[in-house]
Amino acid sequence: MLRKTSLAIVIILSLIAATNAQIFPTKPVRIIVPFPPGGGTDIVARAVGQKLSEALGQTFVIDNRGGAGGTVGSEAAAKAPADGYTLAMATSSTHGVAPSLYPKLGYDPVRDFAPVTLVATTPFVLVVHPALPVKTVSDLIALAKRQPGKLNFGSAGNGSSNHLTVEMFDMMANVKMTHVPYKGSGPALVDLMAGQVDLMINDMSSLLNYVNAGKLRAVAVTSAARNPALPNVPTVAGSGLPGYEAEAWYGVIAPIKIPAPITAKLQEEIVKAIRTTDLKERLHAQGL
């Protein structure tokens, strides 16, 4: 009798969860972006959020919470109610790099989150302020060797992927440049264009408009092959640092105990959205 009762309870709960998923969402949904506005993570989140709003009839609100290489916003997402009304963006920085750099990280990237879906990947681009006398990777290496520690580079914060991509460049080229961490790549880009820092390696999606407008000079891409969005820009590996390669990825996640039917519905709608012609072309045009 006890076994039959337990089975009945499980069936009832499953039916309730399925019903809730069918009517989800009934109010606005928050997407935590663990970086300030203007960076690649923010760009991807807003594109996806807009499509979800159109498809599901509720507003998907972007909640930018930058700081500590994206870990502040990720911790907030881990502690949010697992009801489907708080989602978050996961990146190679927050869920790939951070666990190995922060001994007291406020979340576990596996135990605290349910993956919803991968959205996009993108190479990074090495960009410099137009006033810097650097047009090639060889130029940058030569200048950095002549002036050890004088060149400075911005990043989204200590341990962020665009911090570590430059550190890898330094190691492979046997040079030393000075790191200037920010709370996100958006503020770092503002200072780069103002000449407060000399260079960055950042995700392509957040750089293309500035490169095309002549506000930044693209020196090389970090992928193994050239990218169609910047066809005339060579790779780092092909410009003097063989074996150098790095990419960023962006995904949607939720607190771990989110009901499975809601996760499935979100996954279905996001995949449907990123396969639409207009969003696919929009992301591809930004190097994603």
Side-chain angles (χ1 to χ4, degrees), residues 37 129 182 185-197 200 210:
H129 187 273
Y182 290 80
S185 57
L189 283 170
V190 171
D191 271 10
L192 175 59
M193 288 185 286
Q196 300 300 313
V197 292
M200 279 186 73
Y210 303 124

Side-chain angles (χ1 to χ4, degrees), residues 30 32 63 65 70-88 95 104-109 111-114 253-258:
R30 178 176 59 146
I32 295 179
D63 182 3
R65 295 200 183 190
T71 62
V72 172
S74 298
E75 182 176 352
K79 296 177 178 178
D83 54 7
Y85 290 93
T86 297
L87 307 175
H95 285 66
K104 295 183 180 180
L105 195 63
Y107 60 91
D108 184 286
R111 291 196 300 267
D112 291 340
F113 295 101
I253 55 175
I256 187 63
K257 293 183 179 180
I258 180 175

Side-chain angles (χ1 to χ4, degrees), residues 98-189:
S100 66
L101 291 181
Y102 294 89
K104 295 183 180 180
L105 195 63
Y107 60 91
D108 184 286
V110 176
R111 291 196 300 267
D112 291 340
F113 295 101
V116 177
T117 187
L118 178 71
V119 177
T121 63
T122 182
F124 296 93
V125 186
L126 168 58
V127 291
V128 300
H129 187 273
L132 196 71
V134 166
K135 293 185 178 180
T136 66
V137 169
S138 297
D139 290 343
L140 178 59
I141 293 173
L143 182 60
K145 286 186 174 180
R146 288 197 305 270
Q147 302 175 351
K150 185 174 180 181
L151 294 178
N152 52 52
F153 67 95
S155 83
N158 289 312
S160 60
S161 46
N162 56 4
H163 168 208
L164 298 186
T165 50
V166 182
E167 296 292 357
M168 183 167 69
F169 183 98
D170 281 4
M171 291 174 63
M172 295 178 67
N174 194 28
V175 297
K176 178 61 181 176
M177 294 185 282
T178 299
H179 179 216
V180 182
Y182 290 80
K183 289 186 176 181
S185 57
L189 283 170

